[in-house]
Structures are given as C-alpha cells and as structure tokens.
Amino acid sequence: MKSKSRALPLTITLGSILLFFCLVLAILWNFVLIYNYSQLKEYAGPIKEYSGYFQWVMLAVGGFFFLLVITGVTLFVVFLARQIMLNQLQKNFIDNMTHELKTPLTSIKLYIETLKRHDLPKEKKDSFLDIMLKDVERLDTLVNHVLESAKLEHYSKNLQTKEINLEQIVNYCVEIIINRYSLSNDNFEINLNDIMIKTDPTALQLVLLNLIDNAVKYSNENIKVIIEAKNNPSGKIDISIKDFG
C-alpha cells in the first residue's frame, strides 16, 4: 500500500526532472548551433543568402518540434498522474466496499449456521434474528449509498439551484438517520442560525445524508453528532459534521 501511495509524487517528481532536462537541453542545443553557425560564417567568408536562410528555417522547425515533444511529455505526466489517482481511488473504494459487505454477510452466515445446528431458546432466536435484521439493514443502507452516489454523479450535470433554508434540509436528513438507526434527537446537536443557502436541494440532501450516516456509523457507543454551519469571509458557507468515534 505504501509503495503504491508513493507512485503519484514519484511520477510528478520524475516528470518534472525530465522536463527540466529537456528545457536545458533545448537551450544548450540552440546556443551551440547559433554559436557554431556564427563561427563558421566568420571563417568561411560570405555565405549565400539562401543557405543561411535555410539553416535558420531548419533551426526554427527543429525548435518547434522540440516544443511539441515537451508539450507531449507534459501532457503524458499530467494524464499519468490523474490515472494513478483514479486507480488509487478505485482501489480504496473496492477495499472499503469489500470490508463493508463482508462484515455483515459473515455475521449473517454465522447466525444462520448457529440457528441451523442448535435448538436454541426462543429468546436467543429472537436476539439472533434481530441482529441479522440489523445486518441486512446495514447492507441495504450501503447499497442505497452507492446508488445515491451514482445518482448524484449523473444528476450533477443538471443541477437546479435555488434559495433554501439550510436548517430544513439538515433536519430532514437527521430525521431519516434517526429512523434508520433508532436514535433520538438527543444524539444530535444542530447549530445553524437560520442560514439561507443557494444550492440544489436534492444534491445537498444526498451529500448530507452520507456524511451524517458516516458520523453515526463510526461514532462510539455514546453517539453524539454535532452539525454546525457558518459564513466564511469569502461569502461561502462552511458546514461541519463532527462525531466522537
């Protein structure tokens, strides 16, 4: 994992060094050619006008193609860096998804095998079924998050912004999370000061739902999520969601 995480800075550093060497080479190359041409002109005497013109044209054409090579190397380094970042993000997503999927599936499998092999009291069976139901709900929530993220990526191309009350959106998202995890209002502290914001309500709702859900999911046993918002000097609004996990 560490070697792969170093791929991006290594690529950028190596590409920058190569570009620097190419520029230095181009400068020295042109300096040597011009210097040699001037020396030859002094010793060789008068040179036909078309001959000198031809050499300068060749020098200009060579410099132009060299600039194309430098541009191509630059674009290659940029595209390679982007591809490395994309591959790393995809790997992180797959790793996280694998972990999030395997954990509840392993739990459900374990409880099903236990119920199948042993004749347990009704109270114990009910307890196992409740745990299995929570694991199924967790899987359902995870799948919904993935679908919501994909929907947001597609939906972002046609955002429809309007002036809305931020507190109304946040309260709606908190209510969904409370029902999802059987929590209470005491688990949340909301400090928004009646802020109005110009945005797309659907897109903001999807983002806030994911953030608040993660805050609850990774909290400790005493769940407490603090949601705050304030205007920053640039005129934008900073929204923070804090948990204690």
Side-chain angles (χ1 to χ4, degrees), residues 41-218:
K41 186 176 181 180
E42 290 180 3
Y43 287 107
I47 300 177
K48 294 182 179 180
E49 183 177 353
Y50 74 88
S51 177
Y53 177 77
F54 176 76
Q55 292 185 13
W56 283 109
V57 170
M58 292 300 296
L59 182 62
V61 172
F64 173 74
F65 281 109
F66 196 82
L67 287 176
L68 288 181
V69 171
I70 295 233
T71 303
V73 172
T74 304
L75 292 175
F76 174 76
V77 172
V78 171
F79 291 151
L80 183 60
R82 288 182 178 178
Q83 189 61 42
I84 291 174
M85 293 178 61
L86 179 61
N87 291 340
Q88 189 63 42
L89 289 174
Q90 289 177 341
K91 182 182 181 303
N92 292 339
F93 174 77
I94 292 174
D95 290 342
N96 292 332
M97 283 293 296
T98 301
H99 173 74
E100 293 292 336
L101 288 172
K102 288 188 68 175
T103 301
L105 286 175
T106 302
S107 174
I108 293 172
K109 180 181 178 182
L110 177 63
Y111 285 118
I112 290 177
E113 290 176 348
T114 303
L115 290 172
K116 186 176 179 180
R117 295 178 182 176
H118 304 281
D119 187 13
L120 301 175
K122 184 178 183 305
E123 294 78 9
K124 200 68 174 178
K125 289 182 179 180
D126 292 339
S127 176
F128 283 5
L129 291 174
D130 289 338
I131 296 175
M132 292 166 61
L133 181 60
K134 289 182 179 179
D135 287 332
V136 171
E137 291 175 350
R138 178 180 174 183
L139 287 173
D140 182 63
T141 301
L142 180 62
V143 173
N144 287 335
H145 282 178
V146 174
L147 295 176
E148 289 171 356
S149 299
K151 185 191 301 182
L152 179 60
E153 181 179 358
H154 174 73
Y155 185 74
S156 61
K157 299 177 181 178
N158 300 301
L159 293 177
Q160 298 178 354
T161 60
K162 65 178 182 179
E163 195 85 11
I164 59 171
N165 189 301
L166 179 60
E167 190 170 2
Q168 293 180 354
I169 297 291
V170 171
N171 288 336
Y172 176 76
C173 295
V174 168
E175 183 179 353
I176 293 177
I177 300 299
I178 287 176
N179 294 330
R180 180 180 294 173
Y181 292 99
S182 300
L183 301 175
S184 67
N185 292 325
D186 295 333
N187 297 114
F188 296 88
E189 180 180 334
I190 302 175
N191 302 314
L192 300 179
N193 300 324
D194 197 26
I195 294 178
M196 300 299 294
I197 183 174
K198 188 175 182 180
T199 185
D200 186 287
T202 303
L204 180 61
Q205 178 184 318
L206 291 174
V207 173
L208 290 175
L209 273 175
N210 284 326
L211 292 175
I212 298 173
D213 186 274
N214 286 335
V216 171
K217 185 187 301 182
Y218 297 106

Side-chain angles (χ1 to χ4, degrees), residues 1-15 80-81 84-85 88 91-92:
M1 180 64 115
K2 290 184 178 179
S3 61
K4 289 188 177 181
S5 62
R6 295 175 182 172
L8 180 59
L10 180 61
T11 301
I12 295 177
T13 302
L14 181 59
L80 183 60
I84 291 174
M85 293 178 61
Q88 189 63 42
K91 182 182 181 303
N92 292 339

